[in-house]
Coordinates of all heavy atoms in Angstrom, one line a residue:
H296 N 104.8 113.9 90.9 CA 106.1 113.8 90.1 C 106.4 115.1 89.6 O 105.8 115.6 88.7 CB 106.0 112.7 89.0 CG 107.2 112.4 88.4 ND1 108.1 111.5 88.9 CD2 107.9 112.8 87.2 CE1 109.3 111.4 88.1 NE2 109.0 112.2 87.2
I297 N 107.5 115.8 90.2 CA 107.9 117.0 89.9 C 109.0 117.2 89.1 O 110.1 116.6 89.4 CB 108.1 117.9 91.2 CG1 106.9 117.7 92.2 CG2 108.6 119.3 90.9 CD1 105.8 118.5 91.8
G298 N 108.9 118.0 87.9 CA 110.0 118.3 87.2 C 110.3 119.8 87.5 O 109.5 120.7 87.5
Y299 N 111.7 119.9 87.8 CA 112.1 121.4 88.2 C 113.5 121.7 87.7 O 114.3 120.8 87.3 CB 112.1 121.4 89.8 CG 113.1 120.7 90.6 CD1 114.3 121.3 91.0 CD2 112.9 119.2 90.8 CE1 115.2 120.5 91.6 CE2 113.8 118.5 91.4 CZ 115.1 119.1 91.8 OH 116.0 118.4 92.5
S300 N 113.8 122.9 87.8 CA 115.1 123.4 87.4 C 115.6 124.3 88.5 O 114.9 125.2 89.2 CB 115.0 124.3 86.1 OG 116.3 124.9 85.7
R301 N 117.0 124.3 88.7 CA 117.6 125.0 89.8 C 118.7 125.9 89.1 O 119.5 125.4 88.4 CB 118.2 124.3 90.9 CG 118.7 125.0 92.1 CD 119.2 124.1 93.1 NE 117.8 123.5 93.7 CZ 117.8 122.3 94.4 NH1 118.9 121.6 94.6 NH2 116.7 121.9 94.8
H302 N 118.8 127.2 89.4 CA 119.7 128.1 88.8 C 119.7 128.0 87.3 O 120.9 128.2 86.7 CB 121.1 127.8 89.4 CG 121.2 128.0 90.9 ND1 120.9 129.2 91.6 CD2 121.5 127.1 91.9 CE1 121.0 129.0 92.9 NE2 121.4 127.8 93.1
G303 N 118.8 127.8 86.6 CA 118.7 127.8 85.3 C 119.3 126.5 84.5 O 119.4 126.5 83.4
G304 N 119.4 125.5 85.3 CA 120.1 124.3 85.0 C 119.0 123.4 84.2 O 118.0 123.7 84.1
P305 N 119.6 122.1 83.9 CA 118.6 121.2 83.2 C 117.5 120.6 84.2 O 117.7 120.8 85.4 CB 119.6 120.0 82.8 CG 120.7 120.1 83.8 CD 120.9 121.6 84.1
M306 N 116.5 120.2 83.6 CA 115.4 119.7 84.4 C 115.9 118.4 85.3 O 116.5 117.5 84.8 CB 114.3 119.2 83.5 CG 113.0 118.7 84.4 SD 111.5 118.5 83.4 CE 111.9 116.9 82.8
Q307 N 115.4 118.5 86.5 CA 115.6 117.4 87.4 C 114.2 116.9 87.8 O 113.3 117.6 87.7 CB 116.4 117.9 88.7 CG 117.6 118.5 88.3 CD 118.4 119.0 89.7 OE1 118.8 118.1 90.5 NE2 118.7 120.2 89.8
T308 N 114.2 115.7 88.3 CA 112.9 115.2 88.7 C 112.8 114.7 90.1 O 113.9 114.2 90.6 CB 112.4 114.0 87.8 OG1 113.4 113.0 87.7 CG2 112.2 114.6 86.3
V309 N 111.8 114.7 90.8 CA 111.7 114.1 92.2 C 110.2 113.7 92.3 O 109.3 114.2 91.8 CB 112.1 115.2 93.2 CG1 111.2 116.4 93.2 CG2 112.1 114.5 94.6
Q310 N 110.0 112.7 93.0 CA 108.7 112.1 93.3 C 108.4 112.4 94.8 O 109.1 112.0 95.6 CB 108.5 110.8 93.1 CG 107.1 110.1 93.3 CD 106.8 108.8 92.7 OE1 106.7 108.7 91.5 NE2 106.8 107.7 93.5
L311 N 107.3 113.1 95.0 CA 106.9 113.4 96.4 C 105.7 112.4 96.7 O 104.7 112.4 96.0 CB 106.4 114.8 96.5 CG 107.3 115.9 96.1 CD1 106.7 117.3 96.4 CD2 108.7 115.8 96.8
E312 N 105.8 111.7 97.9 CA 104.6 111.0 98.5 C 104.0 111.8 99.5 O 104.6 112.2 100.5 CB 105.1 109.8 99.0 CG 105.7 108.8 98.0 CD 105.7 107.4 98.4 OE1 104.9 107.1 99.2 OE2 106.3 106.6 97.7
G313 N 102.7 112.2 99.2 CA 102.0 113.1 100.2 C 101.8 112.6 101.5 O 101.6 111.5 101.8
R314 N 101.8 113.5 102.5 CA 101.4 113.2 103.9 C 100.0 113.2 104.0 O 99.3 114.1 103.5 CB 102.0 114.3 104.9 CG 101.6 114.2 106.4 CD 102.2 115.3 107.1 NE 101.8 116.6 106.7 CZ 100.6 117.1 107.0 NH1 99.6 116.5 107.8 NH2 100.2 118.4 106.6
V315 N 99.4 112.0 104.3 CA 97.9 111.9 104.2 C 97.3 112.3 105.4 O 97.8 111.9 106.6 CB 97.6 110.5 103.8 CG1 98.1 109.4 104.9 CG2 96.1 110.3 103.6
E316 N 96.1 112.9 105.5 CA 95.3 113.2 106.6 C 93.9 112.6 106.4 O 93.5 112.7 105.2 CB 95.2 114.6 106.9 CG 96.4 115.3 107.4 CD 96.1 116.8 108.0 OE1 95.0 117.2 107.8 OE2 97.1 117.4 108.4
I317 N 93.4 111.8 107.2 CA 92.1 111.2 107.0 C 91.1 111.8 107.9 O 91.3 111.7 109.1 CB 92.2 109.6 107.2 CG1 93.3 109.0 106.3 CG2 90.9 109.0 106.9 CD1 93.5 107.6 106.5
S318 N 90.1 112.2 107.4 CA 88.9 112.9 108.2 C 87.8 111.9 108.2 O 87.5 111.2 107.2 CB 88.6 114.2 107.5 OG 89.6 115.1 107.4
P319 N 87.0 112.0 109.2 CA 85.7 111.3 109.1 C 84.7 111.7 108.1 O 84.8 112.8 107.5 CB 85.1 111.5 110.6 CG 85.7 112.9 111.0 CD 87.0 112.9 110.4
A320 N 83.8 110.9 107.7 CA 82.7 111.3 106.8 C 82.0 112.6 107.3 O 81.7 112.8 108.3 CB 81.7 110.1 106.6
V321 N 81.8 113.4 106.3 CA 81.2 114.8 106.6 C 79.7 114.7 106.5 O 79.1 114.1 105.6 CB 81.7 115.9 105.5 CG1 81.0 117.2 105.8 CG2 83.3 115.9 105.5
T322 N 79.0 115.1 107.6 CA 77.6 115.0 107.7 C 76.9 116.3 107.7 O 75.7 116.4 107.6 CB 77.2 114.1 108.9 OG1 77.8 114.8 110.1 CG2 77.7 112.8 108.8

């Protein structure tokens, strides 16, 4: 959940859902 400002303006918010990568168990 990102709070950010652009050009010095008021805070805006955006939620990012990550791109998931699944790796096998590490041995």
Side-chain angles (χ1 to χ4, degrees):
H296 189 78
I297 305 287
Y299 68 99
S300 173
R301 183 172 297 160
H302 299 303
M306 185 173 77
Q307 305 178 58
T308 60
V309 64
Q310 181 166 284
L311 308 180
E312 296 202 18
R314 176 180 59 81
V315 63
E316 288 188 0
I317 302 177
S318 303
V321 179
T322 56

